[in-house]
Amino acid sequence: MSTRTIAVVSAGLGRPSSTRMLADRLAGAATAALAERGVEAEVVTFELRDVAHDVTNAMLTGFPTGDLRGVLETVTGADGLIAVTPIFTTSYSGLFKSFLDVVDKDALTDMPVLIGATGGTPRHSLATEYAIRPVFTYLHADVVTTAVFAATDDWAGEGDDVNPLPSRIRRAGTELAEKIAGRPESGEVPDEFADVPSFAELLGR
């Protein structure tokens, strides 16, 4: 069974936080979907609050230091990324955006990314589309179609008939797993001539 790495970034400020809870659920769904495809997932989760000072210093100096250096190396070297932020004043948190600002603009090119967000009211659910998705599109990431927003009341429902959150998490996790499973493993160079027919095939043999 092959192994892929999923980096998870949670921008929640509290402990515990609903943002981290959603990040863990999304990672679990992606891991389960990968297992169904014969792929083992190694999940590495980062709480941005733990490197908040390093993020600020990197913005001021232009160089990552401390634990942030390792976080950036893991995130940019992963096979897939799950990024979840709380919504403040209709948009992502300042810490979340500051972290993305210190990520090299080309480091996430073509990387499968699943985005999620949490907030107090469903009225902010479209923030994933008008605020978060454009940032990753600018970074040339391969963002999955389904984004997941969880309002406070969404955590109260237990069944899919009552609350669509569990099924949306599964769908998003499956989409991420499909993209990750379809990519070559880290360090593996894809064969550019894999689909080129041989001379025998061209001659009809």
Side-chain angles (χ1 to χ4, degrees):
M1 178 179 288
S2 61
T3 302
R4 304 297 175 90
T5 300
I6 299 176
V8 180
V9 172
S10 170
L13 300 181
R15 261 200 190 118
S17 73
S18 58
T19 302
R20 173 60 187 271
M21 187 185 307
L22 178 58
D24 289 343
R25 296 281 183 86
L26 291 171
T31 298
L34 279 171
E36 293 175 355
R37 290 160 176 75
V39 179
E40 182 179 356
E42 178 186 359
V43 177
V44 186
T45 303
F46 299 104
E47 294 267 13
L48 291 187
R49 57 171 286 162
D50 294 335
V51 292
H53 292 293
D54 291 335
V55 169
T56 301
N57 290 336
M59 292 187 68
L60 294 174
T61 64
F63 299 98
T65 57
D67 293 336
L68 178 61
R69 184 187 299 273
V71 173
L72 290 173
E73 289 177 354
T74 300
V75 168
T76 58
D79 296 293
L81 171 65
I82 296 173
V84 187
T85 177
I87 298 300
F88 297 138
T89 319
T90 75
S91 190
Y92 39 68
S93 72
L95 177 58
F96 183 79
K97 181 56 166 62
S98 295
F99 173 75
L100 292 179
D101 284 341
V102 301
V103 174
D104 184 273
K105 64 180 181 65
D106 298 318
L108 299 183
T109 298
D110 295 330
M111 178 179 290
V113 175
L114 193 170
I115 57 176
T118 58
T121 169
R123 288 180 296 176
H124 297 316
S125 60
L126 290 180
T128 56
E129 302 305 322
Y130 66 71
I132 305 173
R133 189 180 296 274
V135 175
F136 285 99
T137 299
Y138 171 79
L139 294 172
H140 305 292
D142 186 8
V143 188
V144 305
T145 302
T146 302
V148 181
F149 178 87
T152 301
D153 291 343
D154 289 332
W155 300 110
E158 296 182 358
D160 290 358
D161 293 337
V162 179
N163 179 7
L165 180 61
S167 62
R168 193 168 182 83
I169 288 175
R170 286 194 298 271
R171 183 164 71 250
T174 299
E175 291 174 4
L176 181 66
E178 289 174 346
K179 288 183 179 293
I180 292 175
R183 301 181 78 218
E185 294 188 61
S186 299
E188 179 183 338
V189 179
D191 184 358
E192 298 180 1
F193 302 101
D195 296 327
V196 177
S198 66
F199 283 111
E201 291 172 327
L202 291 174
L203 294 174
R205 296 180 181 177

